[in-house]
Amino acid sequence: MFLINCPFCGERDQSEFSSGGEAHIVRPKQPTELSDDDWAEYLFMRKNIKGIQFERWNHVHGCRKWFNVVRDTSNDKILSVYKMGEKPPVNYK
Amino acid sequence: MKNKYSVFSLIKNALSQHENWQQAWGNPEPKKEYDAIIVGGGGHGLATAYYLAKKHNLKNIAVLEKGWIGGGNTGRNTTIIRSNYLWDASAGLYDHALKLWENLSQELNYNVMFSQRGVMNLAHNLQDVRDLKRRTHANRLNGIDAVWLNTEEVKKFCPIINTSPDIRYPVLGGTLQRRAGTARHDAVAWGYARGASDMGVDIIQNCEVKGIKRNGDRVEGLETTKGFIKTNKIGVVAAGHSSVIANMAGLKLPLESKPLQALVSEPVKPIINTVVMSNAVHAYVSQSDKGELVIGAGTDSYVSYTQRGSHNIVEETLKAILELYPIFSRMKMLRQWGGIVDICPDASPIISKTNIKGLYFNCGWGTGGFKATPGSGDLFAHTIANDEPHKLNAAFNLNRFVSGDLVDEHGAAAVAH
């Protein structure tokens, strides 16, 4: 339970948003050439970090736009919000 | 058993005002080296150590727990036990556990208060009816007791359910597994701890794992808050923190950890004699022996390790509970809490070897691990001792995410995950 600062609408309750999970997982460029191991990595394996995680959210009950969030999963504090396509902030590792 | 519990020991100790009961398990400092170390002192971890010592003759075993035993999800679940899963692999796994539950109090000489009061799963629309009837047939083919009840039979079995046809999600029937029920969750951890400790297993509390030492493709030991401990077999049973431990070994798991909530009401006289679950509205309820209603809510949609969860999830569950049981409308809720559950993409667990020699994982139980505690421990112990899975957990290997041979219980099991 926390507030998310949507880059398009401003600060709203988390219940307005839908979580899209880990961010920056790149869709395979040539799916036909992918090995089973690479498919498993892309589809299923997740960092599932306890700490600072880069993730996607969708303002599903608002502007319906996707964007990225940097959040500490150990205390749900949001550290940064940035739009899709923008470079992730470098000061969090 | 060193100090066997019986009516005689009860009388004897009553005479000394119950001041001379011995500690149920030891509190040792870690040795330098163990034959096997179990990471995680919850029900599954303690059961693993218990069966390793009992059935596989390994005596030099430690269980490392970063907090206190049974203080994680073992003490946070809603204590429901059932085995009415759709797929053959799951049916085999969960019914193995249910059979162990039936004799567990005798096995451990510890009353786990296993109560086979039945679990009823409600259907609220035609698709639910089709799915649940299909599951009933699948269960019976696998030798698991399951019956379909129509609306009148549901009402007869649990009279306080609102079966009026004009509610938002009317009750169109349900399935009943009579062998299913509940148990006292703390007692399970305590019983296994006592049993394991009695066979020489070191249960080390307040000892957090900080790193896994590897030598090439095999493990050599664990860095902990109580120093380095050498071992060449590590069984990780860390529930929501499985990925954290996996990362220490440079391994990635197909898991997402999310908060799952539960709550209990003020205690009242016996009013609900079974466990009622509803998949469509995500509400399930039973009554503890103390008289509290035990209510399970859903998971949050995002990864979090906070052990709390969002208010709106509880609100949705209580809305559904109130429509199904209008009698509870003035009931006060006493406590609410969250636990962190590790959810697999196919909502089935992983009880498996890894590609690192000597490192084993038992995780991914998601929202429904408690029911499997004895079976999970038994099969994981077999996997660790023989370096090969038992035939009942062979399907639950880590490689299924590469081969595509998933055990898809999402929605196929009796409740949403």
Side-chain angles (χ1 to χ4, degrees), chain B residues 276-349:
Chain B
V276 188
M277 312 179 76
S278 170
N279 190 355
V281 296
H282 209 291
Y284 53 100
V285 61
S286 61
Q287 191 170 15
S288 74
D289 291 357
K290 281 188 283 183
E292 304 152 320
L293 295 181
V294 182
I295 295 171
T299 51
D300 279 299
S301 64
Y302 50 87
V303 170
S304 177
Y305 288 83
T306 53
Q307 288 191 328
R308 11 181 223 258
S310 307
H311 184 67
N312 56 313
I313 303 279
V314 172
E315 201 176 11
E316 278 156 27
T317 292
L318 289 179
K319 268 193 245 171
I321 295 270
L322 284 189
E323 182 156 87
L324 278 174
Y325 313 92
I327 191 175
F328 296 150
S329 66
R330 279 169 293 164
M331 198 83 125
K332 292 181 180 70
M333 292 299 142
L334 273 193
R335 286 178 286 125
Q336 168 275 350
W337 64 92
I340 302 304
V341 297
D342 44 331
I343 300 178
C344 256
D346 60 354
S348 284

Side-chain angles (χ1 to χ4, degrees), chain B residues 80-360:
Chain B
I80 297 167
I81 294 159
R82 59 184 179 88
S83 65
N84 54 352
Y85 280 70
L86 179 68
W87 302 113
D88 294 351
S90 318
L93 177 69
Y94 291 103
D95 210 48
H96 175 60
L98 184 50
K99 284 179 186 143
L100 291 174
W101 276 113
E102 286 175 329
N103 198 35
L104 195 61
S105 293
Q106 286 74 22
E107 160 87 24
L108 298 176
N109 178 233
Y110 203 101
N111 187 3
V112 298
M113 295 162 82
F114 181 47
S115 156
Q116 291 176 296
R117 58 184 70 182
V119 169
M120 190 158 67
N121 295 97
L122 300 180
H124 298 284
N125 55 50
L126 288 177
Q127 190 57 45
D128 274 2
V129 172
R130 289 185 204 111
D131 287 347
L132 292 191
K133 280 187 174 170
R134 178 192 176 204
R135 185 166 52 68
T136 311
H137 296 313
N139 288 162
R140 292 168 77 145
L141 286 172
N142 278 317
I144 293 166
D145 68 308
V147 284
W148 170 258
L149 306 180
N150 63 27
T151 309
E152 291 74 49
E153 290 165 328
V154 166
K155 182 81 178 169
K156 204 173 157 208
F157 190 66
C158 185
I160 60 167
I161 293 183
N162 179 7
T163 51
S164 159
D166 58 5
I167 62 174
R168 174 66 184 86
Y169 295 102
V171 177
L172 302 184
T175 66
L176 175 63
Q177 184 182 18
R178 289 185 192 273
R179 285 161 63 231
T182 60
R184 171 77 200 271
H185 49 196
D186 303 304
V188 179
W190 298 336
Y192 274 120
R194 175 168 168 262
S197 180
D198 215 42
M199 288 182 287
V201 172
D202 282 355
I203 296 166
I204 300 156
Q205 304 182 70
N206 298 309
C207 179
E208 187 177 349
V209 169
K210 290 292 190 190
I212 294 177
K213 193 176 173 205
R214 277 175 64 174
N215 181 1
D217 67 343
R218 58 180 306 118
V219 295
E220 283 198 324
L222 287 165
E223 295 290 352
T224 76
T225 48
K226 296 196 175 188
F228 178 75
I229 310 175
K230 204 173 159 203
T231 186
N232 52 24
K233 275 182 192 277
I234 300 170
V236 183
V237 205
H241 282 68
S242 298
S243 297
V244 176
I245 307 280
N247 288 343
M248 293 174 187
L251 205 68
K252 244 166 138 185
L253 294 173
L255 297 175
E256 283 194 310
S257 296
K258 295 175 176 178
L260 174 68
Q261 290 177 84
L263 55 161
V264 295
S265 73
E266 59 190 332
V268 290
K269 287 184 176 174
I271 184 71
I272 181 163
N273 59 344
T274 185
V275 182
V276 188
M277 312 179 76
S278 170
N279 190 355
V281 296
H282 209 291
Y284 53 100
V285 61
S286 61
Q287 191 170 15
S288 74
D289 291 357
K290 281 188 283 183
E292 304 152 320
L293 295 181
V294 182
I295 295 171
T299 51
D300 279 299
S301 64
Y302 50 87
V303 170
S304 177
Y305 288 83
T306 53
Q307 288 191 328
R308 11 181 223 258
S310 307
H311 184 67
N312 56 313
I313 303 279
V314 172
E315 201 176 11
E316 278 156 27
T317 292
L318 289 179
K319 268 193 245 171
I321 295 270
L322 284 189
E323 182 156 87
L324 278 174
Y325 313 92
I327 191 175
F328 296 150
S329 66
R330 279 169 293 164
M331 198 83 125
K332 292 181 180 70
M333 292 299 142
L334 273 193
R335 286 178 286 125
Q336 168 275 350
W337 64 92
I340 302 304
V341 297
D342 44 331
I343 300 178
C344 256
D346 60 354
S348 284
I350 296 164
I351 312 172
S352 179
K353 296 161 68 169
T354 63
N355 54 17
I356 301 166
K357 205 162 161 37
L359 184 63
Y360 307 85

